[in-house]
Amino acid sequence: MTLETSPPSAPTLEQVAAVAGVSRATVSRVINDSPKVTVEAREAVSRAIAELGYVPNRAARSLASRRTFAIALVIPENTAKFFADPYFASVIQGVAMALSSTKYTLSLLITPETDAEKSRNFLQAGNVDGALVLSHHSDDRAFLALARTMPVVFGGRPMGPEGEHAFYVDVDNRAAARVATEHLIAGGRTRIATIAGPADMAAGVDRLDGWRDALNAAGLASSLVERADFTPAGGFEAMRRLLARGESFDALFAASSQLASGALSAMRDAGLAVPADVSITSIDNDYFATNANPRLTAIEQPTVEVGRTMARLLIDRIEGREISRVTILPTALVQGQSA
Amino acid sequence: MTLETSPPSAPTLEQVAAVAGVSRATVSRVINDSPKVTVEAREAVSRAIAELGYVPNRAARSLASRRTFAIALVIPENTAKFFADPYFASVIQGVAMALSSTKYTLSLLITPETDAEKSRNFLQAGNVDGALVLSHHSDDRAFLALARTMPVVFGGRPMGPEGEHAFYVDVDNRAAARVATEHLIAGGRTRIATIAGPADMAAGVDRLDGWRDALNAAGLASSLVERADFTPAGGFEAMRRLLARGESFDALFAASSQLASGALSAMRDAGLAVPADVSITSIDNDYFATNANPRLTAIEQPTVEVGRTMARLLIDRIEGREISRVTILPTALVQGQSA
DNA sequence: TTGAAAGCGCTAACAT
DNA sequence: ATGTTAGCGCTTTCAA
C-alpha cells in the first residue's frame, strides 16, 4: 500500500502561515474570503500561497467544516443506457453549466443495481453536500430514503408515497401527452393507439393518463395500449403486439421518441406508411425524433434547463435558502413530418 | 450556510465502539478487515454497525490514512464532444467494470478549458488516489504535470517530451493505419488519399505515419493529405478540400470513422460512389463505422479493454505494484462494404 | 483584526 | 488480540 515513488508531499496551511508570517487562522480566513483580514495580511498570504503552490486539503477541510462543496448527480442506470439516452447528456450539460459559476464540484454516479450499495455508501459517507437524482427511465425509490439524510433534488417526480415530500423538477407529463394526442385528433385521426412506458415510473403513468384525457375529452376509444420500457427495442416489440391484435388504428402516440423510433421500424416491416396510414406523435424532441424518417412530431422538453434548475435548487437548499418543493418546466410541440 | 433542517448527524465510530463494548481501534480494525480481531469482537462490532446504520466518514478516514479509495477519470473535452464520441462510452464502461470488483470509486471529470483550474484543484486537493487521463482527441499536455504529483495512467500516448516518462495504455496507431492502408492497396487501389487528425495529437501523427509507411513500401505517392479535427464536420470539409485539389484518387484512408462519415457525405454530394469510385478504410469500428452507408471497413480498437487495463494499472501503481510503463493493446481490421 | 487552542472522525504506531 | 495515544490538515470558537 506504499506509493512506489513517494510524491513531494503537498504544502500545508501551516507552511503557508510560516512563509506569510501570520497565524494559521489568518491563512484560513484568507482562503475562505473572510472580510476580517487586512489588505497586507491578505496579500502576504496570497503571495505565500502562490509561491508554494498551495492547495487546501479537501479531507481536512471537510472534516473540520462539515462541508464538501461537492454534489453528486446520481443516475440509476447502467452505463450502456446512460450513453444511449440523449436526455442524460443535456441534463448533465445543464448541471455543469449551473455549477461552473459556483464553488461546487460535480461527482457523477452512474449506478447500476450491482453497484447500488457502493453508491449509497459513497453518499452517506459525507462525500457530498447534497445529491441530484435523475431518474428519467429508471426506478428511484431506492434513493428516496437518501432524502432524509441530506438535501436531494430529483429530476422527474419520484413515485410512491414518499415522493409526496420530495423536492423535484419535472415537466407536466400528463399535459404534454394530452397535447401530443390532441394534435393527432386535430389532424382528423380517430383510432389512436399508444405505446406507454412502464407502470412503475411517473413518466409512464402520467403520459398514459394524458393520452386518455385527450381521447376521453374527444369521445374516442382508449383501449389500444401496449406498454414497453423506454427503448427502441421496447417500441419495436410493442408495435408488433399492437399490430398482432388485428384492430386497425390510424394514429399512434408514443410515450417517448425512442419508443416511436422502434415502432417505426416495426411499422415499416408491416408495410405501413407514416403519416399516410398512421400518424405519430411522441415525447422528447431528441436525436431519435429528429433523425427518424419521417422526422417525428414531438413534444420538446427543456432538458438543459432541467439540469440547470436542479443544480440551482440543490445549492439553494444546501445553503439554507427556501425553495419550492415542486418546479414544473414548460414543454412545446415541435412539428415534424410524422403528424 | 446552515442547513434548513439539520439532518440527524451520522453515527461515529466512537458510538459503534460504545455499543459493541470495544475500543475505537478495534472498530477501525473490523472496518478495515484487519485479520487480528477475534470472531466475537468482529461480530459484536458488525452488529453495532448494522444497528446504528454506521457508515465511516470519508473525510476523517482519508485525512488519517492519506488514502481516498477514489480515482478520477479525466476527460479533457467539453460535454457535447464527450457524449458525441462513442469511444468514451466504451472506455468508461471498461473502467467501471474493473472498478466494480474493488473498493475504489470513480470520479468523472469532464473538463472543458473553462473549468480546467477547478479540475486541477480538485485533483491536487487530495480528492483521489490517482487519475486516469483519457485524451482520445484532445490535448493533454496540461495534465502531464499532474503525473509528478500522483499516480496517473494515460489513455493514448501523451505528446511532448514529458510524454516519454508517462504511463499509458494505447494501441499501435501507426501499425493500425498501415494495415488499413495496405487493405486498400491489396484491393488494387493506387492513388490513395488520407484525411489525417490534428498534428498535435498522437493519434493524428501516428496514423498519418502509418499511411505513409504503407504507401512508401508499395512505391506509391503520398501527397494527398488533408488534416481535420476528429469530427464528421471536419471530415466533410477535408474531403471538400481534397476534391477541390482536382487530383483524382481511388481510395481514402480516414484517420477515424467520424472523419470518414463526414467525408462520405461530401463524396455523395460530389456524386462519387463508394466503393466503386473510391474505396475507404478508417480507424474505429464504432457507431459511425457500422451505421455508415456503405458500412465502413475499419480497424477495431479494444476500447472496453483499454478502460479496464487503465484502471487495473492505475490501482496497481497506487498500491505500489510494479507495472510496465507502456501497454499496447491489439487491433484488428473488420471488413465492411467500403473497401 | 489577529492568534491560541480545541476539536472534526478516523488510522496507526506503540504498548500491553 | 486489544487498548492507548498521537496526530492527519483544517476551521472555528474564544480571548486578546
Side-chain angles (χ1 to χ4, degrees), chain B residues 23-26 29 37-38 63-64 66:
Chain B
S23 75
R24 301 186 308 165
T26 299
R29 289 189 185 99
V37 183
T38 56
L63 183 57
R66 296 151 160 287

Side-chain angles (χ1 to χ4, degrees), chain A residues 223-226 240-247:
Chain A
S223 58
L224 279 168
V225 180
E226 285 294 338
R240 290 178 60 128
R241 292 197 300 274
L242 225 33
L243 294 170
R245 288 193 182 192
E247 308 172 44

Side-chain angles (χ1 to χ4, degrees), chain A residues 25 51 56 148 166 278:
Chain A
E51 184 185 328
R148 286 198 299 263
V278 178

Side-chain angles (χ1 to χ4, degrees), chain A residues 23 80 100 178 187-188 193 200 273 281 286 316:
Chain A
S23 74
S100 71
R178 185 166 41 68
D200 60 352
T281 57
D286 58 12
D316 282 347

